[in-house]
Amino acid sequence: MTRQVTENPQFYLTAPSPCPYLRGKMERKVFTHLVGERASALNDILTQGGFRRSQNIAYRPACEGCRACVSVRIVVDEFDWTRSFRRTLKDNDEIIGLPIPANPSSEQYSLFRRYLDARHADGGMADMSVLDYAMMVEDTHVDTMMIEYRRRGPDSRITGRGTGPLVAAALTDRLSDGLSMVYSFFDPEPPSRGLGTFIILDHIRRAKSLGLRYVYLGYWVEGSPKMGYKARFTPQEHLGARGWERVDAAE
């Protein structure tokens, strides 16, 4: 891979393409490369400025006449542990997550495929091959990890490891002020156990234990069913023209 100077990153603009969140809209993105020794520092700064990461690319929306995509981060220390969230933790109490280096595996890809086929069969990632998945996980120069979730075993309290098949996974970046959830996926059966919600709640607990202030969820788009769940996790901050502003309830 060509090494690039990160002290003065170059930014580029994509051509217009159909918006995946709002029907009838077109999207454009501004992006730059995250490479070299300072990739993690640049990713840190850009994430705080509303960018997201995909492999070694940092991007954010730059759509003409539309500001629907809003960067969202959860305020960890003041998070509202509602009765519903506590019930989700209890329902998944037998699940434990283990942070490991961001290395792809056939087990991860098998779960990833089942998740896509069940939840996002018509999405932009539906045709991802095992090689595409491997690139998503390992093609990066930033400080990242994979958290693998399995059922607790008799030695989990001592080892911190679960046993049995993989039931969920999350690719997560470590930032100076928080954890940024790049992509997560989970066993789609049974749907009632709330594994997607559990993964976010687990990240909130992890961030708190690490003394970090935020969990970055990416973009929230009002009116998009795909993004509606993010508004549940409050208090949170939204990035606008005046910087990050607190939101205590869904708008």
Side-chain angles (χ1 to χ4, degrees):
M1 183 178 298
T2 303
R3 294 179 63 87
Q4 299 185 13
V5 178
T6 59
E7 286 79 2
N8 297 292
Q10 300 295 308
F11 291 85
Y12 307 90
L13 188 64
T14 65
S17 61
C19 176
Y21 305 119
L22 298 177
R23 182 173 298 181
K25 296 281 189 178
M26 301 294 287
E27 72 165 358
R28 300 188 77 176
K29 294 185 177 75
V30 59
F31 69 94
T32 191
H33 296 276
L34 296 168
V35 295
E37 296 179 356
R38 298 192 61 189
S40 284
L42 182 58
N43 184 47
D44 203 300
I45 293 170
L46 292 178
T47 301
Q48 293 172 10
F51 279 72
R52 293 292 288 165
R53 183 180 72 81
S54 176
Q55 295 176 223
N56 62 3
I57 297 292
Y59 67 91
R60 68 171 297 171
C63 308
E64 297 180 8
C66 181
R67 297 294 181 269
C69 292
V70 179
S71 294
V72 172
R73 64 188 186 187
I74 301 167
V75 182
V76 168
D77 283 343
E78 301 176 56
F79 181 67
D80 183 11
W81 290 95
T82 65
R83 182 177 301 178
S84 175
F85 288 145
R86 294 184 185 279
R87 184 167 56 248
T88 298
L89 289 180
K90 183 177 181 181
D91 290 344
N92 293 278
D93 184 61
E94 78 279 16
I95 304 299
I96 185 171
L98 177 68
I100 62 173
N103 297 320
S105 69
S106 58
E107 187 181 28
Q108 289 173 16
Y109 181 69
S110 177
L111 178 62
F112 175 73
R113 270 264 53 100
R114 296 204 312 273
Y115 171 77
L116 288 183
D117 292 343
R119 297 295 186 96
H120 303 287
D122 58 348
M125 302 175 72
D127 296 327
M128 286 181 64
S129 67
V130 64
L131 179 58
D132 294 329
Y133 174 79
M135 293 291 285
M136 180 181 79
V137 173
E138 67 182 359
D139 185 18
T140 180
H141 294 245
V142 309
D143 186 5
T144 192
M145 61 182 168
M146 180 69 76
I147 304 177
E148 292 191 338
Y149 294 88
R150 304 177 191 274
R151 295 185 183 278
R152 294 181 185 273
D155 300 326
S156 293
R157 188 178 297 275
I158 299 173
T159 65
R161 297 175 178 272
T163 62
L166 187 68
V167 298
L171 182 63
T172 303
D173 290 349
R174 303 180 185 91
L175 307 177
S176 62
D177 66 348
L179 298 176
S180 177
M181 299 183 66
V182 178
Y183 195 79
S184 61
F185 51 96
F186 50 88
D187 188 346
E189 298 292 340
S192 60
R193 72 180 298 136
L195 275 173
T197 297
F198 171 73
I199 294 172
I200 296 176
L201 297 177
D202 182 64
H203 276 69
I204 295 169
R205 294 190 300 188
R206 289 178 184 277
K208 187 174 181 62
S209 70
L210 293 169
L212 300 173
R213 298 178 62 188
Y214 304 109
V215 170
Y216 289 81
L217 290 183
Y219 300 118
W220 170 71
V221 181
E222 186 174 11
S224 170
K226 296 180 181 180
M227 296 293 188
Y229 71 93
K230 296 182 181 182
R232 298 173 55 212
F233 300 89
T234 60
Q236 57 186 227
E237 293 181 357
H238 293 183
L239 183 59
R242 295 180 294 181
W244 289 98
E245 296 183 315
R246 183 182 174 104
V247 176
D248 287 290
E251 294 184 340

